[in-house]
């Protein structure tokens, strides 16, 4: 850690091991060797026939992580107001749509096709005055 102030962020001791975030570079037509540690890979670069091609080159990953974090923060600051206004606009549209009557709620005008005289079952009765 001497001479590298930023490395304390991405390097830490755990038991007898030092863990450090690294960025690797290897030829595109290669893959890493499997490590004897479960989930780990070795920095040996091998081809599809599992023949050793070269060693991967390791770089300090701290600068990369800081650059990615800074970019994400900057994008969040720039994009957040646009996302917020878009959500407000969507909410307003949905509210207006909910207030509009649907086809089921719209009254259908009734048209009288023919008028019929009511049937009289009993003849009118006369009363004495």
């Amino acid at each position: 850690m001497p001479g590298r102030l930023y490395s304390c962020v991405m390097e830490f001791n755990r038991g007898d091991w030092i863990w450090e975030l690294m960025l690797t570079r290897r030829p595109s037509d290669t893959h890493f060797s499997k490590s004897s540690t479960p989930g780990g890979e070795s920095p040996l670069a091998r081809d599809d026939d599992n023949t050793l091609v070269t060693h991967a080159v390791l770089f300090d990953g701290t600068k990369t992580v800081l650059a990615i974090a800074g970019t994400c923060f900057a994008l969040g600051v720039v994009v957040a107001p646009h996302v917020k206004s878009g959500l407000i606009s969507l909410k307003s549209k949905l509210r207006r749509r909910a207030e509009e009557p649907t086809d089921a709620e719209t009254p259908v005008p009734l048209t009288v096709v023919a008028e019929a005289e009511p049937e009289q079952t009993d003849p009118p009765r006369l009363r004495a005055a």
Side-chain angles (χ1 to χ4, degrees):
M1 286 200 305
R4 293 191 300 170
L5 178 62
Y6 57 83
S7 69
C8 64
V9 175
M10 295 298 176
E11 180 179 307
F12 61 94
N13 291 341
R14 179 150 173 110
D16 293 336
W17 298 94
I18 295 176
W19 289 78
E20 185 174 357
L21 182 65
M22 300 297 286
L23 187 64
T24 62
R25 184 181 72 194
R26 60 181 167 80
S28 60
D29 56 346
T30 63
H31 61 273
F32 288 118
S33 293
K34 297 298 177 199
S35 171
S36 59
T37 304
E41 294 182 337
S42 166
L44 300 176
R46 298 184 177 272
D47 63 11
D48 289 338
D49 296 328
N50 215 25
T51 304
L52 180 62
V53 176
T54 187
H55 285 83
V57 180
L58 307 175
F59 298 93
D60 184 2
T62 304
K63 292 178 185 176
T64 304
V65 169
L66 292 175
I68 291 170
T71 303
C72 290
F73 176 76
L75 283 175
V77 169
V78 171
V79 173
H82 299 291
V83 171
K84 183 178 179 183
S85 71
L87 290 174
I88 290 171
S89 174
L90 177 63
K91 184 178 176 182
S92 172
K93 287 178 185 176
L94 291 174
R95 186 178 299 135
R96 272 185 272 143
R97 176 164 252 175
E99 291 172 357
E100 293 176 3
T102 62
D103 290 340
E105 296 171 348
T106 306
V108 178
L110 298 176
T111 307
V112 177
V113 177
E115 291 187 19
E117 292 288 327
E119 289 186 22
Q120 294 182 357
T121 54
D122 295 330
R125 295 187 186 175
L126 298 175
R127 285 192 315 189

